[in-house]
Amino acid sequence: MRDPRHNILFEPLAIGPKVARNRFYQVPHCNGMGHREPTALAGMRAMKAEGGWAVICTEEVEIHPSSEVSPAIEGRIWEDKDIFAHERVVEGIHRHGALAGIELVYNGPRTNLASRLPPMGVNSMPVNSEWLEPQQSRAMDREDFRAIRRWHRNAALRARKAGYDLIYVYAGHGLTLTQQLLSRATNDRTDEYGGSLENRVRFLRELLEDTRDAVGHDCAVPLRIAVEESQLPLGLERAEMEDIVGMLAELPDLWDFCMGSWSRDSRTARFSAEGFQEPFVRGLKKLTTKPVVGVGRFTSPDAMVEQIRSGVLDFIGAARPSIADPFLPKKIEEGRSEDLRECIGCNICVAGDMQSVPLRCTQNPTMGEEWRRGWHPEKIAPKAREARVLVIGAGPAGLEAAHQLGKRGYEVALTDARDTLGGRVVRETTLPGLRTWQRVADYRLGQIGKLANVETYPASFMTADDVLAFGATHVAVATGARFRANGRGRNHPQGIPVGEGASVFTPDDIFEGAAPSGDVVVYDDDHYAIGSALAEKLAAAGCRVTLVTPAPLVSHWTHNTLEQGFIEARLVESGVAIVTRGVAAGIRKGTFAGSDGVTGRPFEIAADHVVLVASREPQLELFRSLKAREAEWADAGLESVTTIGDAHAPGMIVHATYAGHRYARELDMPVDADAVPFLRDQPR
Ligand code: ADP
Ligand code: SF4
């Protein structure tokens, strides 16, 4: 039974000529599948429709090859041939009663790496490119404006033909030509498209009118627009924003508000709380009678209700919460909020798009696998036969395996040496900003607690004797990995020389209570979150911290999670000194010695203690001793012993949950080791 306090989330609401069945709105989001993997994409979107979202939108869809964003993989609707792929997406969404929206885009000047067409822009300026390609756009003339309007109109007609209900005009995230025209920061034109606000809004107005004219009242025409641009001097600000909303108030059928850059829009939990966009959006709704959608990594139904009741939003927009739990609306509708698989705000999903591969999700291992592997986020095949499964290690891999095996109906025992279940998650969440990662363990423990056929055994260290005496048919060894103390890692395959009397810690030592003081060097050859978060923690504890990394940027990989700039800024604010391109040469008592990775110039830093954040050693003692006694397995009733997660191949939490899930899916299932284990979108 639904909690009556949440009823308002299920009130239908019109968007122009269409009616959304409830207030759950999946705003456009990238996914790394786009035009390259349309069937997989359709499977993913359809799953969310099945999960109860009222509106499901595409990622940005390029309207013309003169603004394509390769190597990023977005949608394309360049010509009629592209309609077919979109029909699949729409069909999947409609099958489950949701409305399908498409976000048409003409990007600001891009390199056009695939089409090799010359980029066009507001003016002749360097292209928008991650890769800093030294190329400039051509300043658009009147004919160019007319051409883009024509392309946008044609794309809208194709989108209508494909069956979309909502056809977006897009001016957000610092990516779009329309936003660049709106903003004084980027628009210095002196013709009718520059200067006064009226002129800067002109093109956006034209696109809205053209789109409406093209699709008539068959489709709704929403506008997605940036509400701020604090990254730029002279960028869009509140007063101007209110004027823009006032000027265009009734022209779109819905206002979809976002931030002026993607990194600030999709901010991770380390740098933002649920609902963090409210201050930017509050008050804009009263400037229009049209419905308003906004985002803020909403996972709490009470917070969602509050957004609507207090008049901030009409629709609860979500990208990440819909990725982590495609069934979020259904669960709230059925009064099962405790079953929500809450997004942890880690942006591993974003990294997929950044790396031009299908998105992955830490919390939802089935994301992107709906069609490819036929995985459903809520359903799993029943067990193939009676069997007892012992899962050793209750980190993310073991927890996910135990949960899914339990759902399959196996008799499952989950053991862990520690008193508190959760493995690495319990430790890593002690670092500043990583609190939400606890949801990985909490969700699974909550679900396991409901399954009578899964028993948990904390404080139960398992030896080979224990395992053989247990009577399990299958054993999953999810014993995790520990950071290496000798610095072996990406840049130091032989390790780092450590002299007599030098004080060296690993992150695990710190998690287990070691408390360095004085001058501390954190040497980060891991390049993700742990090194910088440890540096921040130690600085807060009063240490004089220097973070040294061989990479050109601190936490270099977090460029993919849109966090790198935020992390660096926070370290600086925390008083952490930063040395990039610093390659460790050796650690002596009181001194960290290194050299510049480019020039080779040596340097030394005073260090009472050094924390080495390098690679990790899989914990395989138990697995090896079981393997050594394979001859005894049959008598013990044991058929298989399998390593999963960090014990198998150390990685991020996303790798561990995926490994646990796959183990559970494939247990007792025939798997052809010679076949490609998933379907592929291939040209016939
Ligand atoms: P993963 O990320 O692969 O899930 P973790 O490192 O998070 O791995 O979790 C591994 C867990 O396994 C830890 O909580 C650890 O206490 C537990 N563990 C390791 N060895 C044993 C053992 N022999 N018996 C029981 N638990 C173990
Ligand atoms: Fe949320 Fe992380 Fe999943 Fe993205 S990958 S949806 S941020 S849990």
Short mmCIF file of all heavy atoms in Angstrom, two decimals, residues 476-495:
data_model
loop_
_atom_site.label_atom_id
_atom_site.label_comp_id
_atom_site.label_asym_id
_atom_site.label_seq_id
_atom_site.Cartn_x
_atom_site.Cartn_y
_atom_site.Cartn_z
N ALA A 476 31.51 -19.24 -3.03
CA ALA A 476 31.99 -18.01 -3.68
C ALA A 476 32.98 -17.36 -2.72
O ALA A 476 32.62 -17.04 -1.58
CB ALA A 476 30.84 -17.07 -3.97
N VAL A 477 34.21 -17.20 -3.18
CA VAL A 477 35.24 -16.59 -2.34
C VAL A 477 35.30 -15.11 -2.69
O VAL A 477 35.81 -14.72 -3.74
CB VAL A 477 36.61 -17.27 -2.56
CG1 VAL A 477 37.67 -16.61 -1.69
CG2 VAL A 477 36.51 -18.76 -2.25
N ALA A 478 34.73 -14.30 -1.80
CA ALA A 478 34.67 -12.84 -2.03
C ALA A 478 35.46 -12.15 -0.94
O ALA A 478 34.96 -11.24 -0.26
CB ALA A 478 33.22 -12.38 -2.05
N THR A 479 36.68 -12.60 -0.77
CA THR A 479 37.49 -12.17 0.38
C THR A 479 38.22 -10.86 0.16
O THR A 479 38.97 -10.40 1.02
CB THR A 479 38.49 -13.28 0.75
OG1 THR A 479 39.12 -13.73 -0.45
CG2 THR A 479 37.79 -14.46 1.40
N GLY A 480 38.03 -10.25 -1.00
CA GLY A 480 38.52 -8.89 -1.20
C GLY A 480 40.01 -8.77 -1.46
O GLY A 480 40.68 -9.75 -1.82
N ALA A 481 40.51 -7.56 -1.29
CA ALA A 481 41.91 -7.27 -1.59
C ALA A 481 42.40 -6.24 -0.58
O ALA A 481 41.61 -5.49 -0.01
CB ALA A 481 42.04 -6.72 -3.00
N ARG A 482 43.72 -6.21 -0.38
CA ARG A 482 44.29 -5.21 0.54
C ARG A 482 45.37 -4.42 -0.17
O ARG A 482 46.08 -4.94 -1.03
CB ARG A 482 44.88 -5.91 1.78
CG ARG A 482 43.81 -6.44 2.72
CD ARG A 482 44.41 -7.11 3.93
NE ARG A 482 45.09 -6.18 4.82
CZ ARG A 482 44.48 -5.47 5.77
NH1 ARG A 482 43.18 -5.55 5.93
NH2 ARG A 482 45.17 -4.65 6.55
N PHE A 483 45.46 -3.15 0.20
CA PHE A 483 46.48 -2.31 -0.42
C PHE A 483 47.88 -2.84 -0.12
O PHE A 483 48.15 -3.27 1.01
CB PHE A 483 46.36 -0.87 0.08
CG PHE A 483 45.28 -0.10 -0.62
CD1 PHE A 483 44.01 0.00 -0.07
CD2 PHE A 483 45.54 0.52 -1.84
CE1 PHE A 483 43.00 0.69 -0.72
CE2 PHE A 483 44.53 1.22 -2.50
CZ PHE A 483 43.27 1.31 -1.94
N ARG A 484 48.71 -2.81 -1.12
CA ARG A 484 50.08 -3.31 -0.94
C ARG A 484 50.92 -2.28 -0.20
O ARG A 484 50.83 -1.08 -0.47
CB ARG A 484 50.70 -3.59 -2.30
CG ARG A 484 50.05 -4.79 -2.98
CD ARG A 484 50.60 -5.01 -4.37
NE ARG A 484 50.12 -6.28 -4.90
CZ ARG A 484 49.71 -6.46 -6.16
NH1 ARG A 484 49.74 -5.44 -7.02
NH2 ARG A 484 49.30 -7.64 -6.56
N ALA A 485 51.76 -2.78 0.69
CA ALA A 485 52.57 -1.88 1.52
C ALA A 485 53.87 -1.50 0.84
O ALA A 485 54.57 -0.59 1.29
CB ALA A 485 52.86 -2.56 2.85
N ASN A 486 54.21 -2.18 -0.25
CA ASN A 486 55.51 -1.91 -0.88
C ASN A 486 55.39 -0.95 -2.07
O ASN A 486 56.35 -0.75 -2.81
CB ASN A 486 56.17 -3.21 -1.32
CG ASN A 486 55.32 -3.95 -2.35
OD1 ASN A 486 54.26 -3.46 -2.75
ND2 ASN A 486 55.78 -5.11 -2.79
N GLY A 487 54.21 -0.39 -2.28
CA GLY A 487 54.07 0.61 -3.34
C GLY A 487 53.97 0.04 -4.74
O GLY A 487 53.89 0.79 -5.72
N ARG A 488 53.93 -1.30 -4.86
CA ARG A 488 53.78 -1.86 -6.22
C ARG A 488 52.50 -1.32 -6.83
O ARG A 488 51.45 -1.33 -6.20
CB ARG A 488 53.66 -3.38 -6.16
CG ARG A 488 54.94 -4.09 -6.43
CD ARG A 488 54.69 -5.58 -6.47
NE ARG A 488 54.29 -6.02 -7.79
CZ ARG A 488 53.69 -7.18 -8.03
NH1 ARG A 488 53.40 -7.99 -7.07
NH2 ARG A 488 53.38 -7.51 -9.28
N GLY A 489 52.61 -0.88 -8.07
CA GLY A 489 51.41 -0.32 -8.69
C GLY A 489 51.69 0.14 -10.10
O GLY A 489 52.73 -0.18 -10.68
N ARG A 490 50.79 0.94 -10.60
CA ARG A 490 50.81 1.35 -12.00
C ARG A 490 52.17 1.87 -12.45
O ARG A 490 52.71 1.44 -13.46
CB ARG A 490 49.74 2.44 -12.20
CG ARG A 490 49.43 2.77 -13.62
CD ARG A 490 48.29 3.77 -13.70
NE ARG A 490 47.03 3.19 -13.25
CZ ARG A 490 46.26 2.41 -14.01
NH1 ARG A 490 46.61 2.12 -15.23
NH2 ARG A 490 45.13 1.92 -13.53
N ASN A 491 52.74 2.78 -11.66
CA ASN A 491 54.03 3.37 -12.07
C ASN A 491 55.23 2.69 -11.43
O ASN A 491 56.36 3.09 -11.68
CB ASN A 491 54.04 4.87 -11.71
CG ASN A 491 53.22 5.66 -12.71
OD1 ASN A 491 53.70 6.03 -13.78
ND2 ASN A 491 51.95 5.90 -12.38
N HIS A 492 54.95 1.70 -10.59
CA HIS A 492 56.07 1.06 -9.86
C HIS A 492 55.88 -0.45 -9.83
O HIS A 492 55.60 -1.04 -8.79
CB HIS A 492 56.13 1.60 -8.42
CG HIS A 492 56.30 3.08 -8.36
ND1 HIS A 492 57.53 3.70 -8.49
CD2 HIS A 492 55.38 4.07 -8.24
CE1 HIS A 492 57.36 5.01 -8.41
NE2 HIS A 492 56.07 5.26 -8.27
N PRO A 493 56.04 -1.09 -10.99
CA PRO A 493 55.81 -2.54 -11.01
C PRO A 493 56.72 -3.31 -10.06
O PRO A 493 56.38 -4.41 -9.62
CB PRO A 493 56.07 -2.93 -12.48
CG PRO A 493 56.63 -1.72 -13.16
CD PRO A 493 56.34 -0.53 -12.31
N GLN A 494 57.87 -2.73 -9.71
CA GLN A 494 58.78 -3.42 -8.78
C GLN A 494 58.59 -2.92 -7.34
O GLN A 494 59.35 -3.32 -6.46
CB GLN A 494 60.25 -3.18 -9.17
CG GLN A 494 60.58 -3.31 -10.64
CD GLN A 494 60.26 -4.71 -11.17
OE1 GLN A 494 60.33 -5.68 -10.42
NE2 GLN A 494 59.88 -4.79 -12.43
N GLY A 495 57.70 -2.02 -7.11
CA GLY A 495 57.53 -1.46 -5.77
C GLY A 495 58.44 -0.25 -5.58
O GLY A 495 59.15 0.18 -6.49
#
